[in-house]
C-alpha cells in the first residue's frame, strides 16, 4: 500500500514538473531529461534495495558465525562479491545496513572523471 502511494506521488510530481514545459524543442528536451532523471532514481533505488537485502542476509549469517565461503554458497553469490559486505559489519558492528551499503561504494566511482578540473 505504501509503495503504491509513493509511486502515485512520484507520478504526480513528474506530471506537475512536465506541465511547466511548453511544446517547443527545448521544452521537449526538458521533459525528456526530467523523465530520465526519475527513471534513473528509480533504478538506483531498486539497486540499493537489492544491496540492502543482501547486506541483511549476510549480517544474519555472520551473526550465526557462518564462514564467508559458506555464506556465499548459501546465498548463491561469488565469495569476492560477498567479502566486503561480510567484512564491514565485523569492523563496524555499530553501523546500520544503510551505512554499510554506503560504505560499499566502489573506489573508482569516487575518483574524479578523466579531464575533470580538481584544482583547489
Amino acid at each position: 500500500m505504501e509503495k503504491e502511494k509513493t509511486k502515485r506521488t512520484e507520478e504526480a510530481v513528474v506530471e506537475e514538473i512536465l506541465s511547466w514545459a511548453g511544446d517547443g524543442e527545448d521544452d521537449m528536451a526538458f521533459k525528456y531529461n526530467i523523465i530520465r532523471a526519475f527513471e534513473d532514481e528509480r533504478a538506483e533505488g531498486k539497486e540499493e534495495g537489492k544491496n540492502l537485502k543482501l547486506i541483511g542476509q549476510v549480517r544474519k549469517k555472520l551473526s550465526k558465525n557462518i564462514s564467508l565461503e559458506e555464506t556465499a554458497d548459501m546465498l548463491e553469490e561469488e565469495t569476492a562479491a560477498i567479502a566486503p559486505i561480510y567484512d564491514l559489519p565485523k569492523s563496524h558492528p555499530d553501523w546500520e545496513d544503510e551505512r554499510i551499503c554506503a560504505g560499499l561504494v566502489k573506489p573508482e566511482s569516487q575518483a574524479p572523471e578523466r579531464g575533470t578540473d580538481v584544482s583547489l
Side-chain angles (χ1 to χ4, degrees), residues 56-114:
Q57 291 172 321
V58 170
R59 190 187 289 270
K60 286 178 187 176
K61 304 297 183 213
L62 187 57
S63 71
K64 294 177 182 179
N65 294 319
I66 297 174
S67 73
L68 171 61
E69 292 75 18
E70 288 177 297
T71 298
D73 186 51
M74 289 175 165
L75 299 176
E76 298 181 357
E77 297 284 345
E78 294 293 325
T79 303
I82 298 295
I85 299 170
Y86 193 86
D87 292 337
L88 273 174
K90 288 168 68 174
S91 57
H92 302 283
D94 56 320
W95 284 14
E96 295 178 0
D97 291 353
E98 290 81 8
R99 177 94 184 265
I100 292 170
C101 189
L104 294 174
V105 174
K106 295 179 183 172
E108 64 268 10
S109 67
Q110 294 174 347
E113 289 184 28
R114 177 177 267 164

Side-chain angles (χ1 to χ4, degrees), residues 3-107:
K3 191 175 187 180
E4 185 177 313
K5 183 178 176 182
T6 301
K7 185 175 181 180
R8 283 193 308 245
T9 303
E10 278 182 8
E11 289 171 354
V13 169
V14 170
E15 289 300 319
E16 175 65 25
I17 293 171
L18 292 178
S19 72
W20 300 341
D23 294 325
E25 193 172 311
D26 288 341
D27 296 318
M28 296 304 285
F30 171 77
K31 289 178 181 181
Y32 173 80
N33 288 330
I34 292 298
I35 291 169
R36 281 295 303 263
F38 273 90
E39 288 174 351
D40 290 347
E41 284 293 321
R42 186 173 292 140
E44 287 175 20
K46 286 180 180 180
E47 186 66 27
E48 184 177 351
K50 288 178 188 177
N51 289 340
L52 287 171
K53 182 177 181 179
L54 185 60
I55 289 166
Q57 291 172 321
V58 170
R59 190 187 289 270
K60 286 178 187 176
K61 304 297 183 213
L62 187 57
S63 71
K64 294 177 182 179
N65 294 319
I66 297 174
S67 73
L68 171 61
E69 292 75 18
E70 288 177 297
T71 298
D73 186 51
M74 289 175 165
L75 299 176
E76 298 181 357
E77 297 284 345
E78 294 293 325
T79 303
I82 298 295
I85 299 170
Y86 193 86
D87 292 337
L88 273 174
K90 288 168 68 174
S91 57
H92 302 283
D94 56 320
W95 284 14
E96 295 178 0
D97 291 353
E98 290 81 8
R99 177 94 184 265
I100 292 170
C101 189
L104 294 174
V105 174
K106 295 179 183 172

